Amino acid sequence: FGMAWAYVAHTDSCFDIEMFVDYVNGYQKIQPLTIGELWASLIALQIVLIENLRRLAQQIRISRAARRKADSLADRLLGVGGRAPDPAASVFAGLTGGPSPKAFAVQLVHRLRDQDPKFTPALACLDDRLAKQDMTADSVVREVHRSQGAANVTVRNIVTSLRVIAEVDWKEMFERFCLIDGELAKSGRFSEMDFATRTLYRSAVEELGRSSQHGELDIARLTVPAASAPHPELAPTEQTRPSDAGYHLLAGGRREFELSLGFAKFRIWPARVTATMNLDAQAASILALSLFLIVGAAYVLSRTGSASSNSAFSPRLARCRRSTSQRPSSIASSRCSCGRRLCRDWRCSTACLRRCARSSSCRRC
């Protein structure tokens, strides 16, 4: 983001492909960028351009508010609308003691200059306020006109740059300042591959860089000696495979290359298990959702079944609760002969046990 901001500040928001490529390459001579940062540089550049446009729009809005305030003050001094002109001392007394905005001063000079000589005291008061800011009426007019012209040019450059960026083939431009591509091209036929295959190589370098103590550029450089090292354990027909960087980044030499880098495997084991089981994100999400629905349905059915079984005893429990008899001492349990509890209310246990005594089994049995 800081790189994009510096580019916009030094080029007045003017985007040129060759200039930007040279700028990024020069920047990477001091601080190499990662693959993710290079891909994000286009988005960062667009964000900075839009932010610059927002800043200019805010300045225009503030200047318009200052000019409206100057017009209101000039109307009071000139007596616009058939009212008597107000004295300059009383009008300027209502202003704050801070510095006057430049747009406010320019608009007031524009309204009061070339007017009747009786308005000279108002211009003198304005000159006194500008003198406190080490400015004069002429200097502030020149500065405001210069800033307005510069703002117009900057807005034009921003709109043109955003249009050019939208039409740029960013894939081709990315590979022009990607230092990792230059290192991987030193071994094998990396430069002759298509863009999708080269992206696989770069993704493997990113993965190794995130889970090891080496940077992405260092990992790309380490693939060169790994590709040139002999591999006597391989068959003669396969001796040419290790000479390519992809063998150590994606194929059979990946494990050995990870060990040489001190790669932390525990950081990426979920992705590796998914790849080993040949599952993608969509299949895994469908499997997890199906398991969740099955467990949820089983839980709801279990709760519904227990509620329906308890509802079968509701008439008996209602009759038991209406009973006012107390539990006799001769009854030692509130369970049926089958062993199931008849009622949770101890006050109606007598009625429940008497009913079970007559029927020799509870209603649930």
Side-chain angles (χ1 to χ4, degrees):
F1 190 82
M3 181 192 69
W5 185 265
Y7 175 81
V8 170
H10 286 83
T11 59
D12 195 15
S13 304
C14 183
F15 176 78
D16 181 76
I17 297 177
E18 299 299 330
M19 185 186 301
F20 186 72
V21 171
D22 294 340
Y23 173 77
V24 175
N25 288 331
Y27 186 91
Q28 292 192 99
K29 292 180 180 179
I30 307 300
Q31 178 62 47
L33 299 175
T34 63
I35 296 175
E37 290 172 342
L38 290 176
W39 278 115
S41 59
L42 177 63
I43 300 176
L45 186 61
Q46 292 174 318
I47 292 174
V48 171
L49 288 173
I50 295 173
E51 171 63 21
N52 200 17
L53 183 62
R54 183 205 63 81
R55 180 183 59 83
L56 293 174
Q58 185 177 8
Q59 290 181 359
I60 294 173
R61 181 183 61 82
I62 294 174
S63 299
R64 291 184 62 183
R67 285 193 292 269
R68 285 196 298 266
K69 184 177 179 181
D71 287 334
S72 176
L73 191 144
D75 291 341
R76 293 174 57 189
L77 292 172
L78 298 176
V80 177
R83 62 183 182 182
D86 294 341
S90 62
V91 172
F92 282 98
L95 298 177
T96 58
S100 300
K102 296 178 181 180
F104 171 84
V106 171
Q107 185 67 13
L108 194 59
V109 169
H110 175 72
R111 291 288 304 273
L112 298 181
R113 186 169 287 179
D114 299 332
Q115 294 291 337
D116 193 274
K118 64 181 180 180
F119 299 112
T120 303
L123 287 174
C125 293
L126 179 60
D127 290 337
D128 293 339
R129 293 180 62 89
L130 293 176
K132 296 178 181 179
Q133 301 176 226
D134 297 331
M135 293 186 300
T136 62
D138 294 334
S139 65
V140 72
V141 169
R142 287 195 300 269
E143 185 174 353
V144 168
H145 288 172
R146 182 191 59 78
S147 62
Q148 288 178 352
N152 292 335
V153 174
T154 303
V155 171
R156 182 192 63 189
N157 291 340
I158 292 173
V159 175
T160 304
S161 298
L162 291 174
R163 187 177 301 170
V164 172
I165 290 174
E167 298 174 356
V168 168
D169 186 4
W170 190 246
K171 295 179 180 179
E172 179 184 355
M173 190 173 176
F174 165 81
E175 293 187 332
R176 292 181 61 182
F177 47 64
C178 183
L179 301 179
I180 294 175
D181 286 11
E183 298 296 333
L184 294 177
K186 294 179 180 179
S187 61
R189 305 173 64 181
F190 178 81
S191 57
E192 301 177 10
M193 301 175 183
D194 58 358
F195 182 81
T197 305
R198 291 195 296 267
T199 300
L200 290 177
Y201 280 51
R202 289 189 288 261
S203 299
V205 172
E206 280 188 293
E207 182 180 348
L208 292 171
R210 285 193 297 265
S211 302
S212 66
Q213 300 297 328
H214 298 272
E216 294 178 357
L217 187 58
D218 295 334
I219 293 174
R221 289 170 178 169
L222 290 174
T223 58
V224 177
S228 60
H231 294 274
E233 71 277 2
L234 297 178
T237 57
E238 297 184 358
Q239 288 294 331
T240 57
R241 294 183 59 196
S243 61
D244 188 88
Y247 178 82
H248 307 279
L249 294 174
L250 301 169
R254 172 65 180 259
R255 301 288 184 178
E256 183 179 355
F257 192 59
E258 288 178 354
L259 294 176
S260 64
L261 296 176
F263 184 73
K265 299 181 180 179
F266 64 89
R267 297 184 181 179
I268 63 166
W269 69 267
R272 180 161 294 180
V273 169
T274 301
T276 304
M277 298 178 63
N278 197 19
L279 290 175
D280 56 0
Q282 183 178 3
S285 61
I286 293 175
L287 181 62
L289 180 60
S290 302
L291 183 61
F292 175 77
L293 292 177
I294 292 173
V295 173
Y299 176 77
V300 172
L301 290 176
S302 64
R303 299 292 297 178
T304 305
S306 61
S308 61
S309 62
N310 291 335
S311 63
F313 290 97
S314 57
R316 178 181 294 183
L317 295 179
R319 290 192 297 269
C320 291
R321 288 191 175 93
R322 288 196 298 267
S323 176
T324 57
S325 60
Q326 297 182 354
R327 182 177 181 177
S329 59
S330 59
I331 299 176
S333 174
S334 61
R335 294 181 180 272
C336 180
S337 58
C338 63
R340 294 184 178 179
R341 186 179 296 275
L342 297 176
C343 182
R344 296 181 179 180
D345 193 352
W346 66 271
R347 293 176 298 179
C348 61
S349 60
T350 303
C352 291
L353 289 175
R354 287 176 180 177
R355 180 179 294 274
C356 287
R358 290 195 299 268
S359 60
S360 73
S361 64
C362 62
R363 187 174 182 179
R364 187 174 182 181
C365 294

